[in-house]
Amino acid sequence: MASLRDLKNKIASTKNMSKITKAMQMVSASNFNRAEINAKGFVPYMNKVQEVTAAVAAGSKGVKHPMLVSRTVKKTAYIVITGERGLAGAFNSNVLRLVLQRIQQRHTSKDEYVIIALGRMGRDFFVKRDMNVILDVTGIADQPVFEDIKTTVNQTVRMFADGAFDELYMYYNHFVSAIQQEVTEKKVLPLTDSDVASSPTPVSTYEFEPSPEEILDVLLPQYAEGLIYGALLDSKASEHAARMTAMKNATDNASELIDNYSLMFNRARQAAITQEITEIVGGAAALE
C-alpha cells in the first residue's frame, strides 16, 4: 500500500491537474460558441455563391471551364484539415487515420499523390512518415479568417488549373453537435455539374455582364476557395467542441481519482492510528 505521503502527493497533483483541465474546458467553451457562430454564418454566403454559380453554368451550356472538366487521374491532391494541438480526444486521429487509409488504398507510389496540410498536427503526422507534403499552413487562429489560408488555397486552385494534379479531395471533421463530429471526405475539384447544381432553388433572375465564360473564370475559383474555407470553419467548431468534451471528461475523471485517493488516504491514516494505539496499549500492558 502507498504511504500517506505518496497518497497526499497524488491528491495534490491530481487537484492541480483538475484545475488545468477545468480552465481548458472553459476556454474551449468560449471558443466553441464563437466558432459555431462563424461556421453557421458562412453557410448563407456559400449558398448564394453556389446559386449564382449554378445560374451562370446553366446559362452557358457548351462552355467547358477547366475546373468543370474531369480528366485522366495521374496525381491526386489531399487537403487535410486538423488542429494546431492535441488534447481534443480523437479529433485529429480520426481524420488522419481515414486519409492514411485512402492513400494506402488508392496509391502505390508517393509520385501519385500530394498533401496540403492545414494544421500543425496533420503537417507533423505526414512529415514524420515522409509523405509528400507540398503545402502547409500552421499557426491557424482559433477563430480563423480567410486571409490566414488565402495564399495556400489560391495556390492549390491554381495548381489544379495548371495540371499539377488532376483531382482534389478534402478531409475534415464536420460539426454536427457539441458532442458529435463526423469525419468527412469531400471531392473539391473538379467541380461536377451535380455539385454546382445542388444549390437551393434560385430565388433571383440574373443577367450577366460580361460573358458567362469570364464570370466563371472568377466565380469558380472563389467557389472552390469558399468550400475549403467553409470546411476550415466547420473543423474549428468541431475541434473546440471535441476539446471541450475531452477536458470535461478529464476533469470528471480527476474528481473521481481524488475521491478514490482520499478514501485510500483516510483508510491508511486510520490503520496507522490504530497501529500506534495498539503498540501503546501493548507497551503499557508489558510494563504492568
mmCIF file of all heavy atoms in Angstrom, residues 28-54:
data_model
loop_
_atom_site.group_PDB
_atom_site.id
_atom_site.type_symbol
_atom_site.label_atom_id
_atom_site.label_comp_id
_atom_site.label_asym_id
_atom_site.label_seq_id
_atom_site.Cartn_x
_atom_site.Cartn_y
_atom_site.Cartn_z
ATOM 1 N N SER A 28 -12.216 26.420 -24.066
ATOM 2 C CA SER A 28 -12.767 25.761 -25.249
ATOM 3 C C SER A 28 -14.246 26.075 -25.424
ATOM 4 O O SER A 28 -14.729 26.239 -26.546
ATOM 5 C CB SER A 28 -12.560 24.246 -25.154
ATOM 6 O OG SER A 28 -11.184 23.919 -25.172
ATOM 7 N N ALA A 29 -14.971 26.172 -24.317
ATOM 8 C CA ALA A 29 -16.397 26.504 -24.401
ATOM 9 C C ALA A 29 -16.589 27.899 -24.983
ATOM 10 O O ALA A 29 -17.484 28.124 -25.812
ATOM 11 C CB ALA A 29 -17.035 26.404 -23.018
ATOM 12 N N SER A 30 -15.740 28.836 -24.555
ATOM 13 C CA SER A 30 -15.824 30.194 -25.092
ATOM 14 C C SER A 30 -15.491 30.225 -26.583
ATOM 15 O O SER A 30 -16.197 30.842 -27.390
ATOM 16 C CB SER A 30 -14.873 31.111 -24.313
ATOM 17 O OG SER A 30 -14.859 32.410 -24.871
ATOM 18 N N ASN A 31 -14.413 29.529 -26.955
ATOM 19 C CA ASN A 31 -14.029 29.470 -28.371
ATOM 20 C C ASN A 31 -15.078 28.752 -29.207
ATOM 21 O O ASN A 31 -15.328 29.117 -30.364
ATOM 22 C CB ASN A 31 -12.682 28.759 -28.519
ATOM 23 C CG ASN A 31 -11.520 29.614 -28.072
ATOM 24 O OD1 ASN A 31 -11.569 30.845 -28.174
ATOM 25 N ND2 ASN A 31 -10.466 28.995 -27.574
ATOM 26 N N PHE A 32 -15.683 27.727 -28.629
ATOM 27 C CA PHE A 32 -16.690 26.959 -29.363
ATOM 28 C C PHE A 32 -17.892 27.814 -29.733
ATOM 29 O O PHE A 32 -18.398 27.735 -30.863
ATOM 30 C CB PHE A 32 -17.125 25.758 -28.520
ATOM 31 C CG PHE A 32 -18.400 25.119 -29.003
ATOM 32 C CD1 PHE A 32 -18.443 24.439 -30.207
ATOM 33 C CD2 PHE A 32 -19.562 25.205 -28.252
ATOM 34 C CE1 PHE A 32 -19.619 23.856 -30.667
ATOM 35 C CE2 PHE A 32 -20.740 24.622 -28.693
ATOM 36 C CZ PHE A 32 -20.770 23.946 -29.904
ATOM 37 N N ASN A 33 -18.361 28.636 -28.796
ATOM 38 C CA ASN A 33 -19.524 29.474 -29.084
ATOM 39 C C ASN A 33 -19.265 30.393 -30.263
ATOM 40 O O ASN A 33 -20.114 30.541 -31.160
ATOM 41 C CB ASN A 33 -19.894 30.295 -27.844
ATOM 42 C CG ASN A 33 -20.441 29.440 -26.717
ATOM 43 O OD1 ASN A 33 -21.011 28.387 -26.957
ATOM 44 N ND2 ASN A 33 -20.260 29.889 -25.483
ATOM 45 N N ARG A 34 -18.091 30.994 -30.305
ATOM 46 C CA ARG A 34 -17.749 31.896 -31.413
ATOM 47 C C ARG A 34 -17.549 31.121 -32.711
ATOM 48 O O ARG A 34 -17.971 31.559 -33.791
ATOM 49 C CB ARG A 34 -16.497 32.686 -31.060
ATOM 50 C CG ARG A 34 -16.684 33.637 -29.877
ATOM 51 C CD ARG A 34 -15.361 34.229 -29.434
ATOM 52 N NE ARG A 34 -14.681 34.935 -30.505
ATOM 53 C CZ ARG A 34 -13.413 35.336 -30.459
ATOM 54 N NH1 ARG A 34 -12.691 35.090 -29.371
ATOM 55 N NH2 ARG A 34 -12.888 35.981 -31.469
ATOM 56 N N ALA A 35 -16.879 29.963 -32.615
ATOM 57 C CA ALA A 35 -16.611 29.170 -33.816
ATOM 58 C C ALA A 35 -17.904 28.644 -34.433
ATOM 59 O O ALA A 35 -18.041 28.581 -35.661
ATOM 60 C CB ALA A 35 -15.681 28.006 -33.466
ATOM 61 N N GLU A 36 -18.863 28.269 -33.589
ATOM 62 C CA GLU A 36 -20.148 27.786 -34.104
ATOM 63 C C GLU A 36 -20.879 28.902 -34.850
ATOM 64 O O GLU A 36 -21.463 28.677 -35.924
ATOM 65 C CB GLU A 36 -21.001 27.263 -32.952
ATOM 66 C CG GLU A 36 -22.318 26.649 -33.400
ATOM 67 C CD GLU A 36 -23.163 26.151 -32.242
ATOM 68 O OE1 GLU A 36 -22.900 26.587 -31.095
ATOM 69 O OE2 GLU A 36 -24.077 25.348 -32.480
ATOM 70 N N ILE A 37 -20.828 30.104 -34.298
ATOM 71 C CA ILE A 37 -21.460 31.251 -34.971
ATOM 72 C C ILE A 37 -20.788 31.518 -36.314
ATOM 73 O O ILE A 37 -21.452 31.765 -37.331
ATOM 74 C CB ILE A 37 -21.397 32.493 -34.065
ATOM 75 C CG1 ILE A 37 -22.282 32.298 -32.832
ATOM 76 C CG2 ILE A 37 -21.823 33.741 -34.829
ATOM 77 C CD1 ILE A 37 -22.132 33.394 -31.790
ATOM 78 N N ASN A 38 -19.449 31.462 -36.346
ATOM 79 C CA ASN A 38 -18.718 31.694 -37.594
ATOM 80 C C ASN A 38 -19.068 30.654 -38.649
ATOM 81 O O ASN A 38 -19.267 30.983 -39.824
ATOM 82 C CB ASN A 38 -17.212 31.664 -37.329
ATOM 83 C CG ASN A 38 -16.737 32.836 -36.498
ATOM 84 O OD1 ASN A 38 -17.420 33.866 -36.421
ATOM 85 N ND2 ASN A 38 -15.590 32.704 -35.863
ATOM 86 N N ALA A 39 -19.111 29.385 -38.233
ATOM 87 C CA ALA A 39 -19.396 28.303 -39.188
ATOM 88 C C ALA A 39 -20.810 28.434 -39.759
ATOM 89 O O ALA A 39 -21.015 28.313 -40.973
ATOM 90 C CB ALA A 39 -19.204 26.952 -38.507
ATOM 91 N N LYS A 40 -21.777 28.683 -38.894
ATOM 92 C CA LYS A 40 -23.158 28.804 -39.359
ATOM 93 C C LYS A 40 -23.363 30.093 -40.163
ATOM 94 O O LYS A 40 -24.173 30.122 -41.099
ATOM 95 C CB LYS A 40 -24.120 28.757 -38.173
ATOM 96 C CG LYS A 40 -24.181 27.393 -37.493
ATOM 97 C CD LYS A 40 -25.177 27.376 -36.344
ATOM 98 C CE LYS A 40 -25.271 25.977 -35.731
ATOM 99 N NZ LYS A 40 -26.226 25.926 -34.593
ATOM 100 N N GLY A 41 -22.628 31.145 -39.782
ATOM 101 C CA GLY A 41 -22.767 32.403 -40.504
ATOM 102 C C GLY A 41 -22.212 32.360 -41.911
ATOM 103 O O GLY A 41 -22.599 33.172 -42.766
ATOM 104 N N PHE A 42 -21.310 31.410 -42.202
ATOM 105 C CA PHE A 42 -20.712 31.312 -43.533
ATOM 106 C C PHE A 42 -21.618 30.560 -44.506
ATOM 107 O O PHE A 42 -21.462 30.688 -45.715
ATOM 108 C CB PHE A 42 -19.360 30.597 -43.430
ATOM 109 C CG PHE A 42 -18.530 30.672 -44.676
ATOM 110 C CD1 PHE A 42 -17.932 31.861 -45.065
ATOM 111 C CD2 PHE A 42 -18.336 29.541 -45.467
ATOM 112 C CE1 PHE A 42 -17.164 31.935 -46.208
ATOM 113 C CE2 PHE A 42 -17.563 29.601 -46.612
ATOM 114 C CZ PHE A 42 -16.972 30.804 -46.983
ATOM 115 N N VAL A 43 -22.573 29.798 -43.979
ATOM 116 C CA VAL A 43 -23.433 28.972 -44.828
ATOM 117 C C VAL A 43 -24.263 29.804 -45.806
ATOM 118 O O VAL A 43 -24.329 29.466 -47.002
ATOM 119 C CB VAL A 43 -24.336 28.073 -43.960
ATOM 120 C CG1 VAL A 43 -25.367 27.344 -44.821
ATOM 121 C CG2 VAL A 43 -23.493 27.065 -43.193
ATOM 122 N N PRO A 44 -24.931 30.892 -45.393
ATOM 123 C CA PRO A 44 -25.711 31.673 -46.367
ATOM 124 C C PRO A 44 -24.861 32.218 -47.507
ATOM 125 O O PRO A 44 -25.327 32.248 -48.659
ATOM 126 C CB PRO A 44 -26.294 32.812 -45.511
ATOM 127 C CG PRO A 44 -26.323 32.265 -44.127
ATOM 128 C CD PRO A 44 -25.119 31.389 -44.015
ATOM 129 N N TYR A 45 -23.630 32.635 -47.198
ATOM 130 C CA TYR A 45 -22.739 33.131 -48.260
ATOM 131 C C TYR A 45 -22.457 32.037 -49.281
ATOM 132 O O TYR A 45 -22.547 32.251 -50.495
ATOM 133 C CB TYR A 45 -21.432 33.632 -47.651
ATOM 134 C CG TYR A 45 -20.347 33.869 -48.671
ATOM 135 C CD1 TYR A 45 -20.327 35.017 -49.454
ATOM 136 C CD2 TYR A 45 -19.331 32.931 -48.856
ATOM 137 C CE1 TYR A 45 -19.335 35.223 -50.393
ATOM 138 C CE2 TYR A 45 -18.336 33.122 -49.791
ATOM 139 C CZ TYR A 45 -18.338 34.274 -50.559
ATOM 140 O OH TYR A 45 -17.352 34.465 -51.498
ATOM 141 N N MET A 46 -22.122 30.822 -48.794
ATOM 142 C CA MET A 46 -21.815 29.723 -49.710
ATOM 143 C C MET A 46 -23.038 29.319 -50.523
ATOM 144 O O MET A 46 -22.937 28.987 -51.706
ATOM 145 C CB MET A 46 -21.277 28.525 -48.933
ATOM 146 C CG MET A 46 -19.792 28.605 -48.629
ATOM 147 S SD MET A 46 -18.763 28.929 -50.083
ATOM 148 C CE MET A 46 -19.196 27.555 -51.135
ATOM 149 N N ASN A 47 -24.214 29.355 -49.895
ATOM 150 C CA ASN A 47 -25.437 29.028 -50.636
ATOM 151 C C ASN A 47 -25.672 30.018 -51.769
ATOM 152 O O ASN A 47 -26.071 29.638 -52.875
ATOM 153 C CB ASN A 47 -26.642 29.022 -49.690
ATOM 154 C CG ASN A 47 -26.654 27.814 -48.767
ATOM 155 O OD1 ASN A 47 -25.981 26.808 -49.033
ATOM 156 N ND2 ASN A 47 -27.415 27.894 -47.688
ATOM 157 N N LYS A 48 -25.417 31.295 -51.505
ATOM 158 C CA LYS A 48 -25.622 32.310 -52.542
ATOM 159 C C LYS A 48 -24.591 32.163 -53.665
ATOM 160 O O LYS A 48 -24.942 32.261 -54.857
ATOM 161 C CB LYS A 48 -25.549 33.703 -51.928
ATOM 162 C CG LYS A 48 -25.689 34.845 -52.935
ATOM 163 C CD LYS A 48 -26.991 34.748 -53.717
ATOM 164 C CE LYS A 48 -28.195 35.039 -52.861
ATOM 165 N NZ LYS A 48 -29.450 35.109 -53.662
ATOM 166 N N VAL A 49 -23.327 31.927 -53.306
ATOM 167 C CA VAL A 49 -22.305 31.723 -54.335
ATOM 168 C C VAL A 49 -22.647 30.503 -55.184
ATOM 169 O O VAL A 49 -22.510 30.509 -56.410
ATOM 170 C CB VAL A 49 -20.910 31.548 -53.685
ATOM 171 C CG1 VAL A 49 -19.876 31.119 -54.727
ATOM 172 C CG2 VAL A 49 -20.478 32.844 -53.019
ATOM 173 N N GLN A 50 -23.108 29.432 -54.535
ATOM 174 C CA GLN A 50 -23.482 28.226 -55.270
ATOM 175 C C GLN A 50 -24.676 28.492 -56.185
ATOM 176 O O GLN A 50 -24.725 28.007 -57.319
ATOM 177 C CB GLN A 50 -23.807 27.108 -54.281
ATOM 178 C CG GLN A 50 -23.893 25.728 -54.912
ATOM 179 C CD GLN A 50 -24.027 24.642 -53.867
ATOM 180 O OE1 GLN A 50 -24.338 24.917 -52.713
ATOM 181 N NE2 GLN A 50 -23.796 23.401 -54.255
ATOM 182 N N GLU A 51 -25.620 29.281 -55.697
ATOM 183 C CA GLU A 51 -26.789 29.618 -56.510
ATOM 184 C C GLU A 51 -26.386 30.403 -57.751
ATOM 185 O O GLU A 51 -26.817 30.104 -58.873
ATOM 186 C CB GLU A 51 -27.777 30.435 -55.671
ATOM 187 C CG GLU A 51 -29.007 30.926 -56.442
ATOM 188 C CD GLU A 51 -29.835 31.905 -55.625
ATOM 189 O OE1 GLU A 51 -29.926 31.722 -54.395
ATOM 190 O OE2 GLU A 51 -30.391 32.851 -56.223
ATOM 191 N N VAL A 52 -25.537 31.419 -57.562
ATOM 192 C CA VAL A 52 -25.103 32.238 -58.696
ATOM 193 C C VAL A 52 -24.275 31.397 -59.672
ATOM 194 O O VAL A 52 -24.430 31.493 -60.892
ATOM 195 C CB VAL A 52 -24.296 33.452 -58.198
ATOM 196 C CG1 VAL A 52 -23.724 34.232 -59.377
ATOM 197 C CG2 VAL A 52 -25.178 34.354 -57.346
ATOM 198 N N THR A 53 -23.399 30.551 -59.132
ATOM 199 C CA THR A 53 -22.565 29.711 -59.992
ATOM 200 C C THR A 53 -23.428 28.774 -60.824
ATOM 201 O O THR A 53 -23.187 28.578 -62.026
ATOM 202 C CB THR A 53 -21.574 28.889 -59.141
ATOM 203 O OG1 THR A 53 -20.791 29.778 -58.339
ATOM 204 C CG2 THR A 53 -20.650 28.071 -60.028
ATOM 205 N N ALA A 54 -24.443 28.171 -60.191
ATOM 206 C CA ALA A 54 -25.336 27.275 -60.921
ATOM 207 C C ALA A 54 -26.099 28.030 -62.011
ATOM 208 O O ALA A 54 -26.293 27.518 -63.122
ATOM 209 C CB ALA A 54 -26.312 26.610 -59.949
#
